[in-house]
PDB file of all heavy atoms in Angstrom:
ATOM      1  N   LEU A 109     277.527   2.395  23.497  1.00  0.00           N
ATOM      2  CA  LEU A 109     277.125   3.147  22.308  1.00  0.00           C
ATOM      3  C   LEU A 109     277.354   2.365  21.031  1.00  0.00           C
ATOM      4  O   LEU A 109     276.540   2.396  20.111  1.00  0.00           O
ATOM      5  CB  LEU A 109     277.898   4.470  22.247  1.00  0.00           C
ATOM      6  CG  LEU A 109     277.373   5.604  23.126  1.00  0.00           C
ATOM      7  CD1 LEU A 109     278.358   6.758  23.147  1.00  0.00           C
ATOM      8  CD2 LEU A 109     276.025   6.086  22.616  1.00  0.00           C
ATOM      9  N   THR A 110     278.474   1.679  20.949  1.00  0.00           N
ATOM     10  CA  THR A 110     278.806   0.975  19.724  1.00  0.00           C
ATOM     11  C   THR A 110     277.987  -0.301  19.528  1.00  0.00           C
ATOM     12  O   THR A 110     277.985  -0.867  18.446  1.00  0.00           O
ATOM     13  CB  THR A 110     280.303   0.611  19.696  1.00  0.00           C
ATOM     14  OG1 THR A 110     280.638  -0.117  20.883  1.00  0.00           O
ATOM     15  CG2 THR A 110     281.161   1.867  19.627  1.00  0.00           C
ATOM     16  N   THR A 111     277.271  -0.740  20.569  1.00  0.00           N
ATOM     17  CA  THR A 111     276.457  -1.946  20.442  1.00  0.00           C
ATOM     18  C   THR A 111     274.961  -1.659  20.374  1.00  0.00           C
ATOM     19  O   THR A 111     274.172  -2.545  20.060  1.00  0.00           O
ATOM     20  CB  THR A 111     276.705  -2.902  21.621  1.00  0.00           C
ATOM     21  OG1 THR A 111     276.455  -2.227  22.853  1.00  0.00           O
ATOM     22  CG2 THR A 111     278.147  -3.387  21.609  1.00  0.00           C
ATOM     23  N   LEU A 112     274.550  -0.405  20.633  1.00  0.00           N
ATOM     24  CA  LEU A 112     273.140  -0.057  20.547  1.00  0.00           C
ATOM     25  C   LEU A 112     272.675   0.025  19.095  1.00  0.00           C
ATOM     26  O   LEU A 112     273.443   0.352  18.198  1.00  0.00           O
ATOM     27  CB  LEU A 112     272.880   1.293  21.223  1.00  0.00           C
ATOM     28  CG  LEU A 112     272.810   1.312  22.748  1.00  0.00           C
ATOM     29  CD1 LEU A 112     272.649   2.745  23.235  1.00  0.00           C
ATOM     30  CD2 LEU A 112     271.650   0.473  23.242  1.00  0.00           C
ATOM     31  N   ASN A 113     271.412  -0.238  18.882  1.00  0.00           N
ATOM     32  CA  ASN A 113     270.840  -0.109  17.544  1.00  0.00           C
ATOM     33  C   ASN A 113     270.393   1.307  17.238  1.00  0.00           C
ATOM     34  O   ASN A 113     270.010   1.613  16.119  1.00  0.00           O
ATOM     35  CB  ASN A 113     269.629  -1.050  17.392  1.00  0.00           C
ATOM     36  CG  ASN A 113     270.039  -2.494  17.399  1.00  0.00           C
ATOM     37  OD1 ASN A 113     271.086  -2.843  16.867  1.00  0.00           O
ATOM     38  ND2 ASN A 113     269.220  -3.341  18.008  1.00  0.00           N
ATOM     39  N   GLY A 114     270.420   2.194  18.240  1.00  0.00           N
ATOM     40  CA  GLY A 114     270.000   3.580  18.028  1.00  0.00           C
ATOM     41  C   GLY A 114     268.975   3.997  19.051  1.00  0.00           C
ATOM     42  O   GLY A 114     268.381   3.173  19.754  1.00  0.00           O
ATOM     43  N   TYR A 115     268.741   5.252  19.095  1.00  0.00           N
ATOM     44  CA  TYR A 115     267.804   5.840  20.061  1.00  0.00           C
ATOM     45  C   TYR A 115     266.536   6.252  19.346  1.00  0.00           C
ATOM     46  O   TYR A 115     266.575   6.992  18.371  1.00  0.00           O
ATOM     47  CB  TYR A 115     268.475   7.062  20.701  1.00  0.00           C
ATOM     48  CG  TYR A 115     267.608   7.864  21.647  1.00  0.00           C
ATOM     49  CD1 TYR A 115     266.683   7.250  22.480  1.00  0.00           C
ATOM     50  CD2 TYR A 115     267.753   9.238  21.712  1.00  0.00           C
ATOM     51  CE1 TYR A 115     265.916   8.000  23.356  1.00  0.00           C
ATOM     52  CE2 TYR A 115     266.990   9.999  22.581  1.00  0.00           C
ATOM     53  CZ  TYR A 115     266.075   9.358  23.402  1.00  0.00           C
ATOM     54  OH  TYR A 115     265.323  10.106  24.260  1.00  0.00           O
ATOM     55  N   ASN A 116     265.385   5.738  19.780  1.00  0.00           N
ATOM     56  CA  ASN A 116     264.108   6.090  19.173  1.00  0.00           C
ATOM     57  C   ASN A 116     263.678   7.465  19.664  1.00  0.00           C
ATOM     58  O   ASN A 116     263.099   7.611  20.730  1.00  0.00           O
ATOM     59  CB  ASN A 116     263.047   5.039  19.536  1.00  0.00           C
ATOM     60  CG  ASN A 116     261.701   5.362  18.923  1.00  0.00           C
ATOM     61  OD1 ASN A 116     261.569   6.282  18.114  1.00  0.00           O
ATOM     62  ND2 ASN A 116     260.696   4.592  19.306  1.00  0.00           N
ATOM     63  N   ILE A 117     263.976   8.484  18.870  1.00  0.00           N
ATOM     64  CA  ILE A 117     263.720   9.856  19.301  1.00  0.00           C
ATOM     65  C   ILE A 117     262.234  10.169  19.366  1.00  0.00           C
ATOM     66  O   ILE A 117     261.825  11.147  19.955  1.00  0.00           O
ATOM     67  CB  ILE A 117     264.415  10.858  18.378  1.00  0.00           C
ATOM     68  CG1 ILE A 117     263.897  10.701  16.952  1.00  0.00           C
ATOM     69  CG2 ILE A 117     265.901  10.699  18.423  1.00  0.00           C
ATOM     70  CD1 ILE A 117     264.357  11.785  16.026  1.00  0.00           C
ATOM     71  N   HIS A 118     261.399   9.340  18.714  1.00  0.00           N
ATOM     72  CA  HIS A 118     259.965   9.590  18.736  1.00  0.00           C
ATOM     73  C   HIS A 118     259.292   8.966  19.956  1.00  0.00           C
ATOM     74  O   HIS A 118     258.117   9.157  20.195  1.00  0.00           O
ATOM     75  CB  HIS A 118     259.323   9.057  17.454  1.00  0.00           C
ATOM     76  CG  HIS A 118     259.885   9.695  16.222  1.00  0.00           C
ATOM     77  ND1 HIS A 118     259.596  10.987  15.856  1.00  0.00           N
ATOM     78  CD2 HIS A 118     260.747   9.228  15.288  1.00  0.00           C
ATOM     79  CE1 HIS A 118     260.225  11.284  14.729  1.00  0.00           C
ATOM     80  NE2 HIS A 118     260.935  10.243  14.372  1.00  0.00           N
ATOM     81  N   SER A 119     260.072   8.239  20.728  1.00  0.00           N
ATOM     82  CA  SER A 119     259.525   7.608  21.919  1.00  0.00           C
ATOM     83  C   SER A 119     259.608   8.561  23.105  1.00  0.00           C
ATOM     84  O   SER A 119     260.516   9.359  23.220  1.00  0.00           O
ATOM     85  CB  SER A 119     260.302   6.322  22.234  1.00  0.00           C
ATOM     86  OG  SER A 119     259.934   5.816  23.491  1.00  0.00           O
ATOM     87  N   SER A 120     258.633   8.439  24.010  1.00  0.00           N
ATOM     88  CA  SER A 120     258.662   9.274  25.213  1.00  0.00           C
ATOM     89  C   SER A 120     259.612   8.700  26.259  1.00  0.00           C
ATOM     90  O   SER A 120     259.909   9.344  27.254  1.00  0.00           O
ATOM     91  CB  SER A 120     257.251   9.377  25.814  1.00  0.00           C
ATOM     92  OG  SER A 120     256.766   8.089  26.160  1.00  0.00           O
ATOM     93  N   GLU A 121     260.083   7.483  26.014  1.00  0.00           N
ATOM     94  CA  GLU A 121     261.003   6.858  26.961  1.00  0.00           C
ATOM     95  C   GLU A 121     262.414   7.401  26.744  1.00  0.00           C
ATOM     96  O   GLU A 121     262.849   7.645  25.636  1.00  0.00           O
ATOM     97  CB  GLU A 121     261.006   5.329  26.764  1.00  0.00           C
ATOM     98  CG  GLU A 121     259.645   4.687  27.017  1.00  0.00           C
ATOM     99  CD  GLU A 121     259.181   4.890  28.447  1.00  0.00           C
ATOM    100  OE1 GLU A 121     260.033   4.825  29.351  1.00  0.00           O
ATOM    101  OE2 GLU A 121     257.985   5.109  28.642  1.00  0.00           O
ATOM    102  N   SER A 122     263.148   7.584  27.798  1.00  0.00           N
ATOM    103  CA  SER A 122     264.511   8.106  27.704  1.00  0.00           C
ATOM    104  C   SER A 122     265.514   6.974  27.878  1.00  0.00           C
ATOM    105  O   SER A 122     265.183   5.873  28.293  1.00  0.00           O
ATOM    106  CB  SER A 122     264.742   9.170  28.774  1.00  0.00           C
ATOM    107  OG  SER A 122     264.680   8.573  30.050  1.00  0.00           O
ATOM    108  N   HIS A 123     266.757   7.279  27.529  1.00  0.00           N
ATOM    109  CA  HIS A 123     267.844   6.341  27.788  1.00  0.00           C
ATOM    110  C   HIS A 123     267.941   6.054  29.288  1.00  0.00           C
ATOM    111  O   HIS A 123     267.697   6.914  30.115  1.00  0.00           O
ATOM    112  CB  HIS A 123     269.173   6.952  27.355  1.00  0.00           C
ATOM    113  CG  HIS A 123     269.409   6.879  25.891  1.00  0.00           C
ATOM    114  ND1 HIS A 123     269.492   5.713  25.201  1.00  0.00           N
ATOM    115  CD2 HIS A 123     269.593   7.885  24.987  1.00  0.00           C
ATOM    116  CE1 HIS A 123     269.734   5.975  23.937  1.00  0.00           C
ATOM    117  NE2 HIS A 123     269.791   7.279  23.780  1.00  0.00           N
ATOM    118  N   THR A 124     268.315   4.855  29.612  1.00  0.00           N
ATOM    119  CA  THR A 124     268.592   4.529  31.012  1.00  0.00           C
ATOM    120  C   THR A 124     270.095   4.410  31.235  1.00  0.00           C
ATOM    121  O   THR A 124     270.519   4.164  32.351  1.00  0.00           O
ATOM    122  CB  THR A 124     267.901   3.200  31.400  1.00  0.00           C
ATOM    123  OG1 THR A 124     268.350   2.164  30.532  1.00  0.00           O
ATOM    124  CG2 THR A 124     266.387   3.352  31.278  1.00  0.00           C
ATOM    125  N   HIS A 125     270.868   4.565  30.171  1.00  0.00           N
ATOM    126  CA  HIS A 125     272.312   4.395  30.289  1.00  0.00           C
ATOM    127  C   HIS A 125     272.962   5.658  30.851  1.00  0.00           C
ATOM    128  O   HIS A 125     272.424   6.754  30.781  1.00  0.00           O
ATOM    129  CB  HIS A 125     272.912   4.045  28.918  1.00  0.00           C
ATOM    130  CG  HIS A 125     272.348   2.776  28.340  1.00  0.00           C
ATOM    131  ND1 HIS A 125     272.539   1.549  28.921  1.00  0.00           N
ATOM    132  CD2 HIS A 125     271.589   2.561  27.238  1.00  0.00           C
ATOM    133  CE1 HIS A 125     271.936   0.622  28.195  1.00  0.00           C
ATOM    134  NE2 HIS A 125     271.349   1.211  27.167  1.00  0.00           N
ATOM    135  N   SER A 126     274.177   5.497  31.334  1.00  0.00           N
ATOM    136  CA  SER A 126     274.857   6.580  32.030  1.00  0.00           C
ATOM    137  C   SER A 126     275.322   7.692  31.106  1.00  0.00           C
ATOM    138  O   SER A 126     275.674   8.763  31.578  1.00  0.00           O
ATOM    139  CB  SER A 126     276.069   6.011  32.778  1.00  0.00           C
ATOM    140  OG  SER A 126     276.977   5.413  31.862  1.00  0.00           O
ATOM    141  N   PHE A 127     275.339   7.466  29.776  1.00  0.00           N
ATOM    142  CA  PHE A 127     275.912   8.475  28.894  1.00  0.00           C
ATOM    143  C   PHE A 127     274.951   9.598  28.542  1.00  0.00           C
ATOM    144  O   PHE A 127     275.281  10.484  27.760  1.00  0.00           O
ATOM    145  CB  PHE A 127     276.467   7.834  27.614  1.00  0.00           C
ATOM    146  CG  PHE A 127     275.470   7.024  26.831  1.00  0.00           C
ATOM    147  CD1 PHE A 127     274.506   7.636  26.055  1.00  0.00           C
ATOM    148  CD2 PHE A 127     275.517   5.647  26.864  1.00  0.00           C
ATOM    149  CE1 PHE A 127     273.604   6.890  25.327  1.00  0.00           C
ATOM    150  CE2 PHE A 127     274.611   4.891  26.141  1.00  0.00           C
ATOM    151  CZ  PHE A 127     273.655   5.516  25.367  1.00  0.00           C
ATOM    152  N   GLN A 128     273.757   9.611  29.102  1.00  0.00           N
ATOM    153  CA  GLN A 128     272.853  10.726  28.851  1.00  0.00           C
ATOM    154  C   GLN A 128     273.389  12.049  29.373  1.00  0.00           C
ATOM    155  O   GLN A 128     273.032  13.112  28.869  1.00  0.00           O
ATOM    156  CB  GLN A 128     271.485  10.467  29.493  1.00  0.00           C
ATOM    157  CG  GLN A 128     270.590   9.573  28.662  1.00  0.00           C
ATOM    158  CD  GLN A 128     269.188   9.574  29.223  1.00  0.00           C
ATOM    159  OE1 GLN A 128     268.974   9.167  30.363  1.00  0.00           O
ATOM    160  NE2 GLN A 128     268.236  10.028  28.447  1.00  0.00           N
ATOM    161  N   ASP A 129     274.227  12.001  30.387  1.00  0.00           N
ATOM    162  CA  ASP A 129     274.764  13.247  30.941  1.00  0.00           C
ATOM    163  C   ASP A 129     276.160  13.557  30.404  1.00  0.00           C
ATOM    164  O   ASP A 129     276.900  14.345  30.979  1.00  0.00           O
ATOM    165  CB  ASP A 129     274.788  13.200  32.471  1.00  0.00           C
ATOM    166  CG  ASP A 129     275.668  12.080  33.016  1.00  0.00           C
ATOM    167  OD1 ASP A 129     276.243  11.313  32.210  1.00  0.00           O
ATOM    168  OD2 ASP A 129     275.782  11.966  34.245  1.00  0.00           O
ATOM    169  N   LYS A 130     276.496  12.936  29.264  1.00  0.00           N
ATOM    170  CA  LYS A 130     277.781  13.182  28.623  1.00  0.00           C
ATOM    171  C   LYS A 130     277.595  14.108  27.423  1.00  0.00           C
ATOM    172  O   LYS A 130     276.496  14.276  26.901  1.00  0.00           O
ATOM    173  CB  LYS A 130     278.422  11.864  28.163  1.00  0.00           C
ATOM    174  CG  LYS A 130     278.457  10.769  29.206  1.00  0.00           C
ATOM    175  CD  LYS A 130     279.222  11.169  30.466  1.00  0.00           C
ATOM    176  CE  LYS A 130     279.318  10.000  31.442  1.00  0.00           C
ATOM    177  NZ  LYS A 130     279.949  10.379  32.713  1.00  0.00           N
ATOM    178  N   ASP A 131     278.686  14.697  26.980  1.00  0.00           N
ATOM    179  CA  ASP A 131     278.632  15.553  25.800  1.00  0.00           C
ATOM    180  C   ASP A 131     278.149  14.761  24.591  1.00  0.00           C
ATOM    181  O   ASP A 131     278.448  13.564  24.446  1.00  0.00           O
ATOM    182  CB  ASP A 131     280.016  16.138  25.516  1.00  0.00           C
ATOM    183  CG  ASP A 131     280.382  17.245  26.481  1.00  0.00           C
ATOM    184  OD1 ASP A 131     279.568  17.556  27.376  1.00  0.00           O
ATOM    185  OD2 ASP A 131     281.482  17.816  26.341  1.00  0.00           O
TER     186      ASP A 131
END
Side-chain angles (χ1 to χ4, degrees):
L109 280 170
T110 54
T111 56
L112 282 176
N113 292 323
Y115 175 36
N116 180 8
I117 60 171
H118 300 287
S119 170
S120 60
E121 298 298 322
S122 66
H123 281 299
T124 57
H125 300 295
S126 61
F127 57 76
Q128 279 191 298
D129 61 358
K130 311 301 184 185
D131 285 0

